[in-house]
Amino acid sequence: MKDQKEEDRRLGWLLKTYGVQTASTVSTQRLKESVVAAYGATQTTKISSGSPCPWVARAIAFIFLLWMISFVYFLWPISIKREVAISVLSFILGLWTVILWLRRSQQIIFLQ
Amino acid sequence: MALHDGREQEDFLLEGAVRGERACLEALVERHQNMAFMVAMKVVRNREDAEEVVQDSFMRAFGALHKFTREARFSTWLYRIVYNTALTNIAGRKMNLVDVCEQQEDLPELSVKELSSDLLNIEDQRKFVQLALAKLERDDALVITLHYIGEKNIAEICEILTLSKSAVKMRLLRGRKQLQEMLEGILKKETRNLL
């Protein structure tokens, strides 16, 4: 029984020392990169969709939109001054760009 | 204690991976890639296909990580995915059986017993051990690899290969006996070195 255990131990040692097969470095690197790229990206979407942030963002956007519609409806600024309309549109575009930029930088942080 | 630490470390890495942390994802890949590769190699018996199987399996596993209940160890769950993907891979190859037979025929006859083991250098020993493993039946080689190299117990091997406990025990016994016979020369030399 003791001999059998000893032989078993020796076989285990031999297999661990000489029986290990390893994947090539290229495939290891490729695997790491694909896992990080695919899984990291998926997770980012998952986390942001499950967090309260989109609801807050939607509520703010909705209030902002209502305010804009009422502003345009009651004051009709385009008829008074073209600059007002341009500045409002620039503000919306600017805000949109900032939101997109923030979202992208958040994704990069998750990937690192 | 070591096992407990290992489990805690694995949990930590898994939590990080679920959050999409790069370091944790890379650490998990590094930890399990070689064993996953060996499992795939035992089934597909071809380096390129094995690497492809490992790639597919890791992508599947990490994609379904949120479904992983942690009832089993992550490695057990992952190797089961690798094994199933490898089986699908060979089922997809219609020429599979021919490939395997050809590869088996290519292997030179093992004659370690007849050789003077002192003449074998490390590289030769490595080659002979791997040839001996390749000479075993697929499931026997898988059981031996998972048990001795992957340090998996009988219950975990049953889960990975979907085999019964008695089947795993029988394959382990048979594989061990065949390997010991084939590697007798090297084993004797190693015993001398150890003493």
Side-chain angles (χ1 to χ4, degrees):
Chain A
M1 189 68 186
K2 203 180 170 187
D3 280 356
Q4 202 182 340
K5 269 195 172 176
E6 183 58 30
E7 283 212 353
D8 201 39
R9 196 181 65 83
R10 275 200 328 247
L11 183 65
W13 180 85
L14 195 73
L15 287 173
K16 268 190 182 173
T17 315
Y18 302 121
V20 176
Q21 286 174 299
T22 49
S24 65
T25 4
V26 180
S27 81
T28 309
Q29 199 52 40
R30 199 181 57 210
L31 178 61
K32 271 189 202 171
E33 278 165 15
S34 5
V35 163
V36 167
Y39 190 62
T42 324
Q43 265 330 97
T44 309
T45 324
K46 202 162 274 170
I47 288 166
S48 53
S49 65
S51 68
C53 298
W55 297 104
V56 177
R58 270 176 216 152
I60 292 169
F62 183 69
I63 293 164
F64 185 70
L65 197 73
L66 270 181
W67 181 73
M68 285 301 293
I69 290 167
S70 50
F71 175 75
V72 172
Y73 181 77
F74 290 110
L75 296 175
W76 197 242
I78 301 160
S79 62
I80 305 162
K81 259 189 176 183
R82 194 172 285 174
E83 290 88 334
V84 178
I86 292 166
S87 59
V88 168
L89 279 173
S90 310
F91 177 69
I92 294 167
L93 270 173
L95 191 70
W96 191 261
T97 315
V98 168
I99 290 168
L100 282 180
W101 180 75
L102 280 174
R103 284 183 70 178
R104 188 161 289 182
S105 62
Q106 194 187 18
Q107 271 183 357
I108 291 164
I109 289 165
F110 270 115
L111 285 174
Q112 278 169 351
Chain B
M1 189 63 193
L3 185 74
H4 184 64
D5 286 347
R7 197 78 193 235
E8 269 183 5
Q9 207 177 19
E10 194 171 88
D11 282 346
F12 173 78
L13 290 175
L14 285 171
E15 276 159 25
V18 169
R19 286 195 300 272
E21 283 173 22
R22 190 192 182 109
C24 294
L25 290 168
E26 285 187 346
L28 282 171
V29 170
E30 268 173 25
R31 258 186 177 209
H32 302 292
Q33 196 206 8
N34 281 340
M35 195 58 217
F37 176 72
M38 274 190 278
V39 170
M41 269 294 278
K42 297 282 170 286
V43 182
V44 298
R45 302 205 176 209
N46 172 306
R47 184 164 267 275
E48 285 77 34
D49 286 341
E51 286 179 351
E52 199 185 306
V53 164
V54 171
Q55 176 99 13
D56 286 354
S57 309
F58 270 85
M59 295 305 276
R60 277 188 200 179
F62 281 112
L65 202 59
H66 58 283
K67 289 181 196 162
F68 175 53
T69 53
R70 300 194 195 183
E71 281 166 14
R73 294 192 69 170
F74 174 70
S75 53
T76 307
W77 182 69
L78 177 71
Y79 301 154
R80 189 173 174 170
I81 294 175
V82 174
Y83 178 64
N84 288 334
T85 313
L87 287 181
T88 315
N89 180 289
I90 56 164
R93 278 189 291 156
K94 288 192 177 173
M95 298 295 284
N96 157 53
L97 282 173
V98 180
D99 287 350
V100 172
C101 291
E102 278 171 2
Q103 276 179 332
Q104 291 278 23
E105 280 164 18
D106 288 343
L107 298 173
E109 275 304 307
L110 273 178
S111 53
V112 185
K113 271 166 84 176
E114 291 152 26
L115 278 168
S116 163
S117 54
D118 290 327
L119 294 174
L120 294 174
N121 62 30
I122 291 173
E123 208 39 58
D124 288 333
Q125 289 185 11
R126 192 184 304 279
K127 207 184 284 174
F128 275 110
V129 171
Q130 289 183 1
L131 277 171
L133 270 170
K135 285 267 169 189
L136 296 179
E137 252 182 57
R138 188 189 74 192
D139 283 354
D140 293 3
L142 272 168
V143 170
I144 291 282
T145 307
L146 285 166
H147 183 67
Y148 287 105
I149 304 174
E151 293 180 344
K152 292 278 168 205
N153 60 35
I154 306 280
E156 286 174 316
I157 299 172
C158 291
E159 207 171 313
I160 295 167
L161 305 178
T162 49
L163 288 171
S164 68
K165 218 169 185 176
S166 56
V168 169
K169 277 183 182 171
M170 189 264 287
R171 285 175 193 283
L172 190 62
L173 254 161
R174 191 171 60 192
R176 186 159 52 199
K177 200 178 166 213
Q178 282 175 355
L179 263 182
Q180 275 171 341
E181 278 169 14
M182 284 193 272
L183 301 173
E184 206 176 303
I186 298 179
L187 279 167
K188 273 179 188 163
K189 186 192 171 192
E190 292 313 326
T191 315
R192 280 204 300 277
N193 288 348
L194 284 172
L195 290 173

